[in-house]
C-alpha cells in the first residue's frame, strides 16, 4: 500500500486566498483525521471522520475552515479566506477501528500564508 | 477530557546509551491506548509503540520499550542503545476508547544523540 497520500506537499499563498488540502487514506481504513502542527500549539486534532461522516469537528478553529469526505478514498480540508496565522503543517491520518491499530500519518502539507 | 504531559522539552543522550522519555497522562476512562510517535527533521510521523490500558506486560518493539505504570498514569518510552538516527522529536499520545479513535498528543520531547 502507498500509505496515506497528501497533496500538495507545500503550499504558499497570499492572505485572503482559498486553500484546499487533499488526502487519500489507506484503503480499508474507516477513520480519517486532520491534524494541524504549529510550534506554539503542537499537534491539534481539527476534525475526524468515521465511514465518511464527520464525528467531531470541535477542533476546527473557525468558520473559515471546512472539511469534507465525499467517499472512502478522498478528503479535503479547505480554508477560505486564509490568514497568516493558518501557516502550519497539516497532517492527514487514517486508521481502522481496531483497538490497537496505530494511526498512519501522511507526509503532511506545509502551508505558508503571506 | 484527556491530557498528555511531556515535561522534557529537550534531552541529550550519548550514542549507545539508553534514554528514557517521560510521559504522564490524565484520563477518567478505564479503557485507553497509549502511543509513541517519532518525528525526524524530515517531518513525517512514525509510529513506534503501543500500550493498551489492560495490557499487563510492558510493550516492546526492538530497541523501544514502554514503561507503563498505570497507577502513576505514566507511559515512559525507553530507547536502548541510542543511535544517531534516533535524534528527532518524540510524541506521546493517548486514545480514549470512549471517544472514538482520536488521539491527544503531548507537546513532544526533542532528543539529540551525541556521537
Amino acid at each position: 500500500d502507498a500509505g496515506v497520500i497528501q497533496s500538495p506537499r507545500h503550499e504558499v499563498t497570499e492572505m485572503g486566498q482559498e486553500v484546499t488540502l487533499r488526502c487519500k487514506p489507506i484503503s480499508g481504513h474507516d477513520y480519517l483525521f486532520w491534524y494541524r502542527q504549529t510550534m506554539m500549539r503542537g499537534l491539534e486534532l481539527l476534525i475526524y471522520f468515521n465511514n465518511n461522516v464527520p464525528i467531531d469537528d470541535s477542533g476546527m478553529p473557525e468558520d473559515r475552515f471546512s472539511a469534507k469526505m465525499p467517499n472512502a478514498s478522498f478528503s479535503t480540508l479547505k480554508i477560505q479566506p486564509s490568514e497568516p496565522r493558518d501557516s502550519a503543517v497539516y497532517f492527514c491520518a487514517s486508521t481502522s477501528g481496531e483497538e490497537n491499530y496505530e494511526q498512519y500519518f501522511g507526509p503532511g502539507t506545509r502551508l505558508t500564508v503571506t | 477530557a484527556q491530557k498528555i504531559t511531556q515535561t522534557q522539552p529537550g534531552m541529550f543522550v550519548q550514542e549507545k546509551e539508553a534514554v528514557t522519555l517521560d510521559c504522564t497522562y490524565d484520563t477518567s476512562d478505564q479503557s485507553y491506548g497509549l502511543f509513541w510517535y517519532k518525528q525526524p527533521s524530515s517531518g513525517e510521523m512514525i509510529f513506534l509503540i503501543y500500550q493498551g490500558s489492560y495490557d499487563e506486560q510492558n510493550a516492546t518493539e526492538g530497541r523501544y520499550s514502554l514503561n507503563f505504570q498505570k497507577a502513576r498514569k505514566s507511559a515512559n518510552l525507553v530507547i536502548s542503545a541510542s543511535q544517531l538516527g534516533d535524534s528527532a522529536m518524540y510524541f506521546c499520545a493517548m486514545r480514549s476508547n470512549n471517544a472514538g479513535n482520536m488521539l491527544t498528543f503531548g507537546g513532544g520531547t526533542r532528543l539529540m544523540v551525541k556521537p
Side-chain angles (χ1 to χ4, degrees):
Chain A
D1 201 314
V4 177
I5 299 172
Q6 290 186 248
S7 64
R9 295 292 307 276
H10 301 273
E11 177 81 32
V12 180
T13 191
E14 292 184 349
M15 183 174 65
Q17 297 297 307
E18 177 179 298
V19 175
T20 299
L21 311 182
R22 297 172 176 81
C23 175
K24 176 178 167 55
I26 291 174
S27 177
H29 283 182
D30 51 359
Y31 283 84
L32 183 140
F33 306 81
W34 282 100
Y35 292 92
R36 179 173 68 176
Q37 185 177 31
T38 61
M39 289 293 294
M40 291 297 295
R41 300 175 67 90
L43 270 160
E44 306 173 275
L45 177 69
L46 299 177
I47 185 171
Y48 80 95
F49 296 83
N50 179 213
N51 292 323
N52 313 337
V53 176
I55 303 300
D56 187 338
D57 66 354
S58 59
M60 296 286 261
E62 49 198 272
D63 291 345
R64 299 184 297 106
F65 285 69
S66 62
K68 294 182 179 179
M69 192 165 185
N71 57 62
S73 59
F74 184 65
S75 177
T76 60
L77 178 68
K78 186 176 294 185
I79 308 173
Q80 166 63 18
S82 58
E83 297 182 2
R85 60 192 168 122
D86 301 331
S87 297
V89 178
Y90 291 81
F91 286 102
C92 176
S94 71
T95 190
S96 78
E98 296 296 323
E99 184 173 306
N100 61 342
Y101 275 29
E102 70 267 28
Q103 290 187 12
Y104 292 82
F105 280 74
T109 295
R110 182 174 295 277
L111 173 65
T112 303
V113 183
T114 61
Chain B
Q2 290 78 41
K3 185 176 180 181
I4 298 283
T5 302
Q6 295 181 252
T7 57
Q8 307 150 313
M11 288 189 69
F12 284 95
V13 65
Q14 198 69 41
E15 191 179 10
K16 299 181 184 178
E17 292 186 351
V19 63
T20 298
L21 307 184
D22 294 341
C23 172
T24 57
Y25 59 92
D26 188 19
T27 182
S28 56
D29 295 326
Q30 297 301 309
S31 179
Y32 51 88
L34 296 155
F35 299 78
W36 277 92
Y37 282 84
K38 172 184 178 181
Q39 187 177 42
S41 58
S42 52
E44 70 267 35
M45 295 288 286
I46 302 168
F47 166 76
L48 295 178
I49 196 166
Y50 165 84
Q51 178 86 40
S53 59
Y54 291 118
D55 294 342
E56 295 184 352
Q57 302 275 355
N58 285 342
T60 60
E61 288 285 349
R63 294 186 299 111
Y64 304 107
S65 61
L66 202 152
N67 184 0
F68 180 47
Q69 298 190 41
K70 194 170 181 177
R72 288 183 160 188
K73 294 188 175 178
S74 74
N76 299 339
L77 177 70
V78 180
I79 306 175
S80 63
S82 297
Q83 302 172 356
L84 295 179
D86 294 334
S87 295
M89 283 290 289
Y90 289 80
F91 292 95
C92 180
M94 181 172 68
R95 182 198 63 222
S96 168
N97 295 342
N98 294 326
N101 279 296
M102 56 182 287
L103 291 179
T104 302
F105 283 87
T109 295
R110 181 171 297 282
L111 177 67
M112 291 152 282
V113 181
K114 297 186 290 184

